[in-house]
Amino acid sequence: MSPLHSTPDGEGTDPPRSVPTSEPDTTPFESWDRPRTAWLLPGRCRTPRRRTLLLEATSRALFPTILVFSIYLLLVGHYGPGGGFSAGLVAGLAFVLRYLAGGSTDPGAVITIRPPVLMGVGLTISVLTALTPMLFGAPVLATAKLTVRVPLLGDLGVVTSLFLDVGVYLLIIGVVLDLLRALGSGIERDMRAAGEPI
Amino acid sequence: MSDVMTSLPTLPVLLPILGAALSVVLGTSVAAQRVVALVTLGTVAAVAGVLLVTADRSGPVVTALGGWAPPVGIALVADRLSALLLLVSTLVALAVLVYAISQRIADYGRGVASSTFYPMYLVLSAGVSLAYLSGDLFTLFVSFEIMLTASYVLITRRTTTRTIRAGMTYVTVSLLSSLLFLTAVGMVYAATATVNLADLSVRVQTLSPGLRTVLALMFVVVFGIKAAMVPLHFWLPDSYPNAPAPVTALFAGLLTKVSFYAMLRTQTLVFPHDRPWTLMLWFAVATMIIGALGAVAQNDINRLLAFLLVSHIGFMLFGLGVSDARGLSGATLYAAHHITVLATLFLVSGLIVRRTGTVALDRMGGLLKTSPALAVLFAIPAMTLAGLPPTAGFVAKLQLLQAGADAGVGPTAVAAVVILASFLTLYALVRVWVRVFWGLPAPTVEDPDPDDELGVGTARTPWPMYAATAGLVVVSLAIAAFAGPLSVVTGRAGEDLVARDGYRVAVLGSPR
Amino acid sequence: MSPGDLVTAPTINLVMALTVGVLYTVGFYLLLQRSLMRVLIGVVVLGHGTNLLLQLVGGPPARVPIVGNSPAETFADPLPQALALTAVVITFALTTFLLALGYRSFTLIGHDEVQDDLEDRRIARIRHPAATLETDGDDDRDVADGSGEGER
């Protein structure tokens, strides 16, 4: 079970974390954004003074809903309004919401993959999808419709451009997470290092 | 042509993007990043070679992306001009990459990975390839954005207090020209309802001459900014010299020439000139003279080279201004030679600065005794740039001069300016030679910014940096040695540019 | 129906043309400011102007390019909308980049103003040796170097 859906059984047991210090942060660049603790989980309380309980509670409910909606957008993209880009942005907005609710405390903690890797994997999937038709003697970026027989649901038509969209989806999520990291928690980290109040 | 052949023009674009994606995923393994970057660019160079041979033998290679035929779909077109420039650009990018890799190993050690340098380098190559190959205006715009976005990152990496201004100037000016580009594309689409270059070249003929001139001038301004055409050049000597040597060399070699290529393509295919084009000749004169005079006044070796870069853009503009087959052929040959020689000079300057620790000419001296290899590496590209007889620069310049002399009174007068600008170039380079290589050896200057990307003031220079520079010198010597066959190819490219029918038939299937 | 018919609006929409003009004017004005934040807003406004222009190219306002939603006569040209979408994405990416650059400038030199051109300053000193020039940035300010935690 994902930590997102765990029950709030340990409320208030953890001490407040991320105490601002004036000591310079010595974590090397390559690893400063590695997730260290869970984030926005029930029971993990930020500095109570900065806490927005309403937003936190709402975002806990909204976050999975928005993600499901983004996957819907990703899947219908070939026939209706949607597609990898808009789906990725919607999913990215879900993370932005979590960032707004959870503050600078480890925005990457939900996804344990680092954002650049997510971008790279997405781009790799997209480019490989674009190149694959060459193997079948078709022009680059050509699409085909595959039919998959699924028990109970019947025949499902999958257009190969869906794989391109999946790549774009991952890429955009990676970009949004990277922005949150660089222009969100990164700046707050700089401010902490400089001893300024956040 | 086989299916694989028609899909070939996508590889120079997609492979570097795939390489960039892989090197992001590989992230922490710097050895894998290096291998990916080298293999990718090597493959692209091979593909570009195949494209050049095919385009020269059997006409332009056209890819319709996704099987959607142009003008509806996006087309990638590799004709002689674009394949030749693609090949030269990729070779230069490969050599600069070798230089950059060995510099990074020497300065940061073998194990330091980067999540930006290699990916952005490859993305920039992908943008350059797409710009050469794109068959429509909007893809051209996108390719410029890919290329420039990567270049923004490369020029502003590890900025310090002294270099951030350069980055800002560069980014702001490029952004402005990009937005103008987009505006121009919108206007063209409003007037003709197409963005496909081949289709445009047919439809533009139905527009009124006034409207056609306005659209043509918008593109002159857009590409003029990006190609550093005087009076739109001011950003270049300010920004380029502040980047690390490999990045400057890459920019100097590729970016301005890609913009010149775009200008050449639009102004020959879409808005052709059947007489010498007076306005462009004036721009050429201004660019040659002001660039060369700017170079003479500099004390900073990189700024001097940047002004020479601007000055020699004028030589290509001259070829475009003559606007007959021979002028365009000369401009193409000049562009190919210019890509190599400017990249080489900036790499050599990087080696010089690394050795002496300063960019100021008056604080260097005596390098001929302490580092004779550097003297040879500097002398050959310097002679090439000045256009002294046995070199590639001479061959290209001679073609331009002949084309100018045959084209009428105006071009002949400008041809005289070409000679004057060559002398000024020679003077500026001789000044560098005297200050840097002759005289008493000057003490090494300490690195003022140890934190930035320029490691200077060290005698520790690994041999691959020399080898990469020497490789580029060999390429420019090869251009001189094979000037005969090469000018046959550029001659045909020039005729293609004037005739236009071959391009249209290849893309649209019919000349009208 | 040929693509040519799609884009020829009977008359120019004056309000929209004026809007585009105003956006361009404001954008260019802001672009000429010294503060990078204003330059950034200028780029954003200019981007909006350009995208609006691209939209107008696709036909009069309030038409949709979605198949089945409108008869062919009032069908908007989808291509400019696709171009505008691409342009929006590019402008978005570059806006975030400029934001990061402005922040970098702020951490390095304490403000985000574009400094004087060195050459300009030198020429000004030759012309008016007595005049007091505005000095900023690297000349007289002791700046803490914040670049230590950047990456190589």
Side-chain angles (χ1 to χ4, degrees), chain B residues 273-277 280-281 317-324 326-328 400 403-404 407 411:
Chain B
H273 301 263
D274 45 6
R275 286 191 308 276
W277 183 12
M280 190 45 72
L281 289 175
L317 294 179
F318 168 59
L320 177 58
V322 173
S323 45
D324 61 358
R326 291 176 65 194
L328 297 175
L400 282 177

Side-chain angles (χ1 to χ4, degrees), chain B residues 284-286 288-289 315 412-423:
Chain B
V285 168
M288 284 188 280
I289 293 300
F315 288 61
T412 312
V414 181
V417 180
V418 168
I419 296 174
L420 176 65
S422 303
F423 275 118

Side-chain angles (χ1 to χ4, degrees), chain A residues 34-181:
Chain A
R34 286 247 164 80
R36 281 180 291 277
T37 48
W39 173 65
L40 245 200
L41 297 180
R44 314 261 169 167
C45 180
R46 306 169 59 216
T47 320
R49 209 155 48 79
R50 305 187 187 286
R51 201 170 175 188
T52 319
L53 199 56
L54 187 62
L55 187 61
E56 255 185 62
T58 323
S59 69
R60 239 174 254 159
L62 277 180
F63 182 73
T65 320
I66 301 180
L67 282 190
V68 170
F69 177 58
S70 80
I71 290 174
Y72 165 76
L73 283 180
L74 171 66
L75 293 178
V76 301
H78 192 69
Y79 296 107
F85 181 74
S86 35
L89 274 187
V90 168
L93 283 177
F95 286 100
V96 173
L97 184 66
R98 291 200 69 133
Y99 172 73
L100 288 180
S104 65
T105 47
D106 294 330
V110 174
I111 289 194
T112 45
I113 307 173
R114 295 181 62 219
V117 176
L118 210 55
M119 287 196 257
V121 170
L123 199 54
T124 311
I125 293 175
S126 289
V127 177
L128 288 182
T129 315
L131 284 173
T132 310
M134 268 181 91
L135 298 180
F136 300 97
V140 171
L141 278 171
T143 53
K145 194 172 173 182
L146 311 172
T147 310
V148 191
R149 181 167 286 266
V150 184
L152 297 177
L153 292 177
D155 289 342
L156 281 184
V158 178
V159 182
T160 50
S161 63
L162 180 67
F163 300 111
L164 192 97
D165 268 347
V166 170
V168 174
Y169 179 73
L170 293 178
L171 173 68
I172 297 297
I173 294 181
V175 167
V176 175
L177 285 178
D178 209 23
L179 284 179
L180 281 182
R181 166 181 92 130

Side-chain angles (χ1 to χ4, degrees), chain A residues 29 85 179 183 187 189-190, chain C residues 89 92 96 100 103 149 151:
Chain A
F29 181 83
F85 181 74
L179 284 179
L183 294 181
I187 287 183
R189 178 174 174 268
D190 283 358
Chain C
V89 176
F92 157 73
T96 53
Y103 173 69
E149 64 197 12
E151 62 185 305

Side-chain angles (χ1 to χ4, degrees), chain C residues 33-90:
Chain C
Q33 303 293 306
R34 286 182 79 114
S35 155
L36 199 64
M37 274 320 285
R38 292 191 186 182
V39 170
L40 168 74
I41 297 172
V43 168
V44 171
V45 173
L46 257 183
H48 286 331
T50 319
N51 286 324
L52 189 57
L53 181 84
L54 280 177
Q55 291 287 312
L56 290 178
V57 163
R63 290 187 179 182
V64 285
I66 298 177
V67 179
N69 278 15
S70 57
E73 295 77 47
T74 59
F75 194 78
D77 188 355
L79 187 68
Q81 309 217 354
L83 303 190
L85 181 63
T86 315
V88 165
V89 176
I90 291 172

Side-chain angles (χ1 to χ4, degrees), chain B residues 72 104 107-108 112-117 138 141-142 145 149 152-153 156-162 164-165 167-169 171-172 175-176 178-180 182-187 189-195 203 238 298 303 307 449-453, chain C residues 3-4 7 24 28 31 36 39 42-43 46-47 50-51 53-54 57-58 77 79-80 82-84 86-87 90-91 93-94 97-98 101-102 104-105 108-109 111-119 122 137-138 143-145 147-152:
Chain B
V72 176
R104 297 173 69 78
D107 286 356
Y108 312 142
V112 177
S114 164
S115 58
T116 49
F117 182 79
F138 195 75
F141 167 75
V142 173
E145 287 311 305
T149 308
Y152 301 154
V153 179
T156 54
R157 291 178 78 246
R158 297 189 62 74
T159 45
T160 59
T161 324
R162 297 184 317 122
I164 191 144
R165 180 181 175 282
M168 282 188 201
T169 315
V171 174
T172 316
L175 270 178
L176 173 65
S178 296
L179 286 171
L180 285 178
L182 195 58
T183 312
V185 172
M187 299 275 188
Y189 190 81
T192 60
T194 183
V195 285
R203 294 205 190 183
D238 249 13
Q298 296 304 316
R303 279 185 76 95
F307 271 106
D449 279 331
D451 274 335
D452 68 0
E453 273 207 285
Chain C
V7 291
Y24 271 79
F28 276 116
L31 214 52
L36 199 64
V39 170
V43 168
L46 257 183
T50 319
N51 286 324
L53 181 84
L54 280 177
V57 163
D77 188 355
L79 187 68
L83 303 190
T86 315
I90 291 172
T91 321
L94 293 176
F97 180 79
L98 267 185
L101 190 63
R104 183 98 180 119
S105 163
L108 280 178
I109 49 184
H111 58 83
D112 69 341
E113 288 192 0
V114 177
Q115 295 153 48
D116 282 333
D117 185 46
L118 280 180
E119 216 101 327
R122 246 179 252 157
D138 46 3
V143 182
D145 190 355
S147 66
E149 64 197 12
E151 62 185 305
R152 284 178 188 255

Side-chain angles (χ1 to χ4, degrees), chain B residues 485-496:
Chain B
L486 204 56
S487 56
V488 172
V489 175
T490 61
R492 288 193 208 127
E495 281 158 22
D496 288 350

